[in-house]
């Protein structure tokens, strides 16, 4: 089969991650578009790719491009993904799929009607030990679930001098911390447990009322021109959920928790055993057992569930991590384009599901009442 041609739309931190994953999965990066034609030219030269596209019209008109990777700030996702699908291109669109539920519905419906492959990088599904947890739950090793709990904590916005486009609701959407990282946790936990959240009670707080000038980079060091700008998006959030199966879940999210760089953590407690996963210690799955027993399952290719083994591309003890997850996700998207059916590939339907949860979480935080997710 000839190599897939791809275009990367958006050249920030995550655009670079997509580019690397695309190359490793065997695609040819045909070109890039960025925040301005000048920046696209710079990046095209740095990446050594043929085209620096002026805009999305030029991207979708390129017959050498079969897949468009949408890596722009959130408010542009809908227009970019819609243009690509309408032109018959497969799409990988960054999360959140869109900044409103309506836009996410439109994109998911369009993707379904075209039959094109359309995926969203909920990449934490690609940690091998996460697949191990999912397999053990599906095989009944935990027994009926009793409690789900966890957090997703970062600290890259803890300094009032730090800022980013995500902080501005016009660019990032009505929710910041929940839509940006709470969305990952919800996708992951629903997928691992097989249970879906049916209702939510949530609260948001903006703990840093003013911030310095915005930068386009995430996890960048603070910059300030001295001027401070009012903030309306939330820095921290807490949510309680009840699943359709009746299991209670609680989640704490923050981008202002010192020392927590990218700590997605969950624990799922069943009648027979518990499992816990920490994204910053992602080679290991903790398994809690009764009678003073506990186990650690270590990632590797020669034990555990078939999916855990499939994604363990390095030998035991040779740490994989976020980059390998991203690469496996992109490779699986390309397999789906080639009409394979890779297990657990997050699609626009999952992006829509996430947009629904975020919408309901925002509604609950505003009204302060338990809100159905349906
Ligand atoms: C920034 O908060 C960010 O890069 C998110 O946008 C990603 O989805 C997450 O994986 C890491 O943090």
């Amino acid at each position: 089969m000839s190599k897939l041609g791809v275009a990367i739309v958006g050249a920030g931190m995550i655009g670079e991650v997509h580019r690397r994953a695309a190359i490793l999965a065997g695609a040819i990066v045909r070109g890039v578009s960025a925040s301005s034609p000048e920046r696209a030219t710079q990046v095209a030269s740095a990446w050594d790719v043929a085209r620096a596209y002026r805009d999305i019209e030029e991207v979708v008109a390129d017959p050498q491009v079969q897949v468009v990777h949408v890596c722009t700030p959130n408010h542009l996702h809908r227009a970019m993904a819609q243009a690509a699908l309408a032109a018959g291109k497969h799409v990988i669109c960054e999360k959140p799929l869109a900044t409103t539920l309506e836009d996410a519905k439109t994109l998911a419906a369009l993707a379904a009607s075209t039959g094109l492959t359309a995926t969203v990088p909920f990449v934490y599904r690609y940690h091998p030990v996460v697949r191990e947890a999912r397999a053990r739950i599906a095989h009944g090793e935990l027994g009926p679930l009793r409690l789900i709990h966890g957090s997703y904590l970062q600290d890259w916005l803890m300094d009032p001098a730090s800022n980013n486009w995500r902080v501005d609701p016009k660019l990032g959407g009505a929710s910041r911390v929940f839509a940006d990282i709470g969305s990952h946790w919800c996708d992951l936990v629903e997928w691992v447990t097989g249970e879906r959240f049916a209702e939510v009670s949530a609260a948001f707080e903006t703990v840093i009322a003013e911030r310095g000038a915005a930068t386009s980079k995430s996890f960048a060091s603070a910059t300030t021109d001295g001027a401070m700008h009012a903030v309306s998006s939330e820095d921290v959030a807490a949510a309680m959920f009840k699943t359709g199966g009746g299991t209670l879940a609680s989640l704490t999210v923050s981008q202002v928790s010192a020392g927590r760089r990218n700590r997605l953590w969950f624990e799922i407690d069943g009648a027979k055993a518990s499992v816990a996963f920490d994204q910053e210690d992602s080679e290991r799955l903790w398994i809690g057992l009764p009678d003073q027993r506990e186990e650690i399952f270590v990632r590797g290719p020669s034990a555990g569930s078939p999916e855990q083994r499939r994604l363990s591309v390095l030998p035991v003890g040779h740490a994989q991590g976020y980059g390998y997850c991203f690469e496996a996700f992109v490779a699986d998207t390309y397999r789906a384009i080639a009409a394979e059916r890779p297990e657990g590939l997050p699609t626009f339907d999952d992006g829509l599901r996430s947009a629904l949860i975020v919408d309901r979480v925002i509604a609950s935080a505003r009204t302060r009442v338990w809100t159905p997710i349906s």
Side-chain angles (χ1 to χ4, degrees):
M1 202 184 84
S2 63
K3 289 193 167 200
L4 280 174
V6 311
I8 311 286
V9 176
M13 173 278 252
I14 206 70
E16 173 64 49
V17 172
H18 280 249
R19 167 190 171 244
R20 183 185 152 81
I23 293 168
L24 286 171
I28 298 179
V29 180
R30 298 284 183 193
V32 59
S33 76
S35 49
S36 68
E38 296 71 38
R39 168 106 175 107
T41 305
Q42 270 172 15
V43 176
S45 154
W47 289 2
D48 196 19
V49 297
R51 301 281 309 270
Y53 306 106
R54 291 186 66 80
D55 51 29
I56 187 70
E57 282 74 34
E58 278 197 8
V59 173
V60 302
D62 186 345
Q64 306 259 53
V65 168
Q66 287 88 50
V67 191
V68 175
H69 290 240
V70 178
C71 309
T72 62
N74 302 344
H75 70 299
L76 297 171
H77 289 178
R78 174 184 167 161
M80 302 290 162
Q82 192 164 350
L85 288 169
K89 314 289 187 189
H90 305 284
V91 178
I92 300 179
C93 182
E94 263 304 327
K95 39 66 45 190
L97 179 55
T99 49
T100 66
L101 179 56
E102 282 315 304
D103 283 357
K105 279 183 187 161
T106 303
L107 287 178
L110 181 59
S113 72
T114 59
L116 293 159
T117 297
T119 62
V120 177
F122 285 121
V123 293
Y124 298 101
R125 290 186 184 192
Y126 284 83
H127 280 294
V129 303
V130 163
R131 301 241 163 180
E132 183 66 22
R134 182 171 187 259
R136 287 179 184 231
I137 291 170
H139 291 142
E141 290 181 31
L142 268 60
L145 300 190
R146 290 180 166 168
L147 184 67
I148 301 166
H149 49 115
S151 53
Y152 193 165
L153 310 175
Q154 298 178 336
D155 67 359
W156 66 286
L157 286 169
M158 67 175 287
D159 182 344
S162 60
N163 206 334
N164 179 264
W165 59 261
R166 287 174 175 78
V167 175
D168 180 351
K170 290 199 291 299
L171 308 183
S175 161
R176 186 222 312 165
V177 73
F178 199 90
D180 189 36
I181 57 177
S183 59
H184 274 296
W185 191 93
C186 291
D187 174 79
L188 195 62
V189 162
E190 284 197 337
W191 184 71
V192 166
T193 60
E195 293 204 15
R196 288 196 146 198
F197 300 137
E199 52 181 333
V200 62
S201 170
F204 288 178
E205 289 295 339
T206 304
V207 296
I208 298 178
E210 294 188 326
R211 291 180 176 275
T215 69
S216 58
K217 287 200 171 151
S218 333
F219 302 100
S221 50
T223 56
T224 180
D225 57 3
M228 298 300 275
H229 307 268
V231 173
S232 60
S233 58
E234 81 281 6
D235 297 303
V236 298
M240 265 195 298
F241 297 94
K242 199 85 185 265
T243 70
T247 312
L248 192 61
S250 80
L251 165 63
T252 307
V253 284
S254 162
Q255 286 172 328
V256 294
S257 294
R260 300 304 190 189
R261 318 292 177 209
N262 197 35
R263 189 177 186 270
L264 183 160
W265 178 83
F266 68 71
E267 180 172 321
I268 299 161
D269 301 336
K272 295 195 277 188
S274 306
V275 289
F277 169 72
D278 176 357
Q279 199 289 134
E280 291 184 341
D281 185 16
S282 62
E283 293 283 290
R284 298 140 57 86
L285 182 70
W286 177 83
I287 299 151
L289 297 161
D291 305 324
Q292 301 178 15
R293 288 176 303 134
E294 61 184 346
E295 286 174 9
I296 302 290
F297 176 87
V298 180
R299 184 205 60 74
S302 47
S305 66
E307 278 295 297
Q308 193 286 135
R309 294 174 191 229
R310 176 176 82 89
L311 294 172
S312 278
V313 293
L314 292 182
V316 64
H318 298 67
Q320 298 185 186
Y322 178 82
Y324 276 82
C325 293
F326 219 99
E327 288 148 22
F329 158 75
V330 170
D332 272 6
T333 299
Y334 296 170
R335 283 193 188 101
I337 291 170
E340 290 180 37
R341 290 271 162 274
E343 169 83 12
L345 180 65
T347 66
F348 273 26
D349 286 340
D350 299 296
L352 172 57
R353 168 76 190 156
S354 178
L356 172 67
I357 294 175
V358 170
D359 183 80
R360 304 290 73 209
V361 166
I362 294 170
S364 172
R366 283 187 182 149
T367 58
R368 297 177 172 259
V369 292
W370 277 93
T371 304
I373 301 176
S374 58

